[in-house]
Amino acid sequence: MKASGSIEGYLRQIRIRLHLDPGTESRVVGELATYFEEKTAELESVEGLDPRSAEQAAIRAMGPPRDVARLMYEAHSRGSWLEALLACQPHLFFAALCATHLWSRPLPCAGLYLITLFVSYSRWRRGRPAWVFPWIGYAFAPLLAGGLFLYGEAGGLFGAGGGATPGVFVLLLCLCAAGLWLFLAAAARALRRDWLLLSLWMLPWPVLALWLLNLDGTTQASADAAAVPAVLLLAGTAALFLRVRSRLHRGAVLAVGGVTAALVMAAQLPAGGGFGLLVRTSAVVLALLFLPALLPVTRGAHAPSGQEEPQGGRSAG
Amino acid sequence: MRRTSGSTGYSRELLRGNTDSLLLFLIAEQGRIHGYQLIKEASSRSGGYFRFREGTIYPALHKLEAEGLVEGQWQTQAGGQQRRYYRITPKGREALERRLSMWFSFARAMQLVISPQSS
């Protein structure tokens, strides 16, 4: 039995506000569609309402879609302790690399990066659970590094004569362009689901950028030492994000954690600590984390994940 | 601020704090039940006193399932529609026992304070 226009519209409003993974979203919408079918049938048969009035009554009984979607989100959003631990992992890996200075050795660095890529790609293909977004943030770290290097080469950021040959520069430019295309495509998909997840993805970038910008010989040790507590703070932020239910609390966790981590990093650097720099750092971090909320997004129906889906006999929006 | 439902006479906060227990009890008692039936059962069993809002029951059911206290399964009906049926899990039974024990202790203590002569 196909849902009518007003019920379909209601279910569409629910779907837009759910911000859950596709499988869970389909389950929620499917169950609510079943409720509407039963409720309208009962109102028509028992109370003698016409179909349109029965629909309106059923929608009123369910309540505003904004409230229902918020409660459904809170019912499903909280990650388990295991998922919180998984969300911490890439931050802990990076903290370990900085603490041991092993990031400069190809083998451990490449090994951890390959693990990060594998986890990011495999879970991206399987429902994109919330805990994988910090991994994705680090998976795109080379893009950030490449972009900063190109900017430095172009703008003399790293001093006169950065050292890259034209060939290397062009190669890096092409790689960064390809990486940027991949990033934008993935970010658009993340944004369609939930801007908070895109913010979680970009959470480590301010700290990473500050670390990368201080990797010349004289400040490298300081950068590593400054990064460790900052990244550990990011690990705690990611874990807490997974464990809180409400969107408001999640946004607050990201804001406080992201700004604090960046300030901890900036304050410990040789050139850091000035009030103006700290204010600018805070502003940049907040802008980066909350820019996704301002981006326009068109939420379409998710492709079915194959898990827990009702089939046949109903159009669930 | 306490919100009192004028038509039902109880505080919504009071019901909100006991909704999970009520749902777990009804699911355990019925063995297997779907959301809409649960809403009607709670209302009829309470003589119409409890009037759950559908928009809070379904999220509450989903929360119970996410916590592993109930498990849901889709079943296709004769007319082709899909219904999600819930049943309680062993973990849910333990949680229900704890909550009922807590509730009875609370109610007994209230009774002792309010009507010590009749305790």
Side-chain angles (χ1 to χ4, degrees), chain A residues 6-22:
Chain A
S6 56
I7 289 175
E8 267 192 16
Y10 182 93
L11 292 174
R12 197 178 311 117
Q13 289 298 311
I14 293 275
R15 200 184 270 273
I16 286 169
R17 290 172 171 81
L18 270 179
H19 304 294
L20 297 172
D21 63 275

Side-chain angles (χ1 to χ4, degrees), chain A residues 80-90 92 131 135 235 238-239 242-243:
Chain A
S80 64
W81 284 111
L82 176 61
E83 288 168 332
L85 186 62
L86 286 170
C88 285
Q89 282 308 305
L92 296 178
W131 63 260
W135 293 79
L242 265 285
R243 290 293 294 171

